[in-house]
Amino acid sequence: MITQVRGRLVEKSPTEVVVDCNGVGYLLHISLNTFSSLPDDEAVVLYTHLSIREDAHTLFGFINKTEREVFKLLISVSGVGPSIARTMCSSMTSEEIQHAIASENVKLIQSVKGIGVKTAQRVIVDLKDKILKTFNIDDVSVITSNTNKDEALSALDVLGFQRKQSEKIVTFILKENPDATVEKIIKLALKNL
């Protein structure tokens, strides 16, 4: 029904924003990724999804169409409501969610608050084919790069580095060098840690 909102950013917090569109203020629930990507100026365009339940009509806002599409796919899974989907979009980027599902990384999906083992498995079963088709992800490359990433992160854990910091650096390294071997990832990570 409402697919996008363009207007002046009146209020913002990490979980919601108010956008003034010609005198009407729309309250949009947002993810942390959208919050961190909001422009500094007041003019803003957010892509939206209207969730209608018996007791509430809730408008969710996204900085780009990819995040909105991932959100819609997530809420199509039984057991994943809008609030869990928003938490997932806050915990990981759209690309990380796509890769986690495509590479069947149950642990990563399960690390999101509110998602148990069964729900994580259901997310993978229900969405893997849709994610691969919709976002043109190469099944094989996802699995190999993810295995390299996991091995590199495990090695860095053993060396005593913090998981969160290691993960950021390894993700950045893999964006720059998608075909990097485990050894190369570790060497580059050690230079940056």
Side-chain angles (χ1 to χ4, degrees):
M1 192 171 135
I2 300 172
T3 191
Q4 101 178 12
V5 173
R6 178 191 306 267
R8 193 169 60 84
L9 192 59
V10 181
E11 293 175 32
K12 75 174 180 178
S13 75
T15 56
E16 56 190 35
V17 292
V18 175
V19 179
D20 182 323
C21 301
N22 298 324
V24 178
Y26 289 93
L27 174 72
L28 294 107
H29 296 268
I30 58 170
S31 70
L32 285 174
N33 288 320
T34 294
F35 175 74
S36 61
S37 302
L38 285 171
D40 291 332
D41 57 344
E42 288 184 346
V44 69
V45 175
L46 290 173
Y47 300 96
T48 61
H49 173 76
L50 181 61
S51 171
I52 299 176
R53 292 194 334 244
E54 264 181 43
D55 58 342
H57 290 211
T58 312
L59 199 56
F60 291 90
F62 308 95
I63 200 71
N64 57 44
K65 289 181 179 177
T66 305
E67 188 181 26
R68 180 177 66 182
E69 195 56 40
V70 167
F71 177 86
K72 284 179 173 179
L73 286 171
L74 288 170
I75 61 174
S76 73
V77 176
S78 173
V80 178
S83 63
I84 290 177
R86 180 173 71 158
T87 303
M88 198 163 178
C89 288
S90 293
S91 305
M92 299 183 262
T93 65
S94 303
E95 290 74 25
E96 287 170 339
I97 294 170
Q98 293 166 28
H99 286 286
I101 294 169
S103 62
E104 300 182 18
N105 191 338
V106 176
K107 276 189 179 170
L108 185 59
I109 296 169
Q110 192 188 335
S111 70
V112 174
K113 187 176 184 270
I115 294 185
V117 181
K118 287 205 167 36
T119 307
Q121 290 168 339
R122 194 176 310 120
V123 165
I124 290 168
V125 169
D126 289 2
L127 299 183
K128 183 176 179 185
D129 291 340
K130 290 178 186 172
I131 290 278
L132 292 172
K133 224 181 280 171
T134 309
F135 299 103
N136 281 333
I137 297 174
D138 182 9
D139 204 356
V140 177
S141 73
V142 166
I143 291 168
T144 56
S145 69
N146 205 37
T147 304
N148 288 352
K149 181 180 179 178
D150 289 343
E151 286 181 32
L153 286 171
S154 296
L156 292 167
D157 280 350
V158 170
L159 292 171
F161 292 100
Q162 286 185 335
R163 182 75 175 193
K164 255 189 176 175
Q165 193 178 10
S166 302
E167 209 160 325
K168 277 184 185 173
I169 290 170
V170 169
T171 302
F172 177 75
I173 290 168
L174 283 171
K175 277 183 187 170
E176 300 290 308
N177 311 296
D179 301 325
T181 62
V182 177
E183 294 80 15
K184 187 174 182 181
I185 295 169
I186 294 169
K187 282 179 185 174
L188 291 170
L190 287 173
K191 286 179 184 175
N192 293 305
L193 282 167

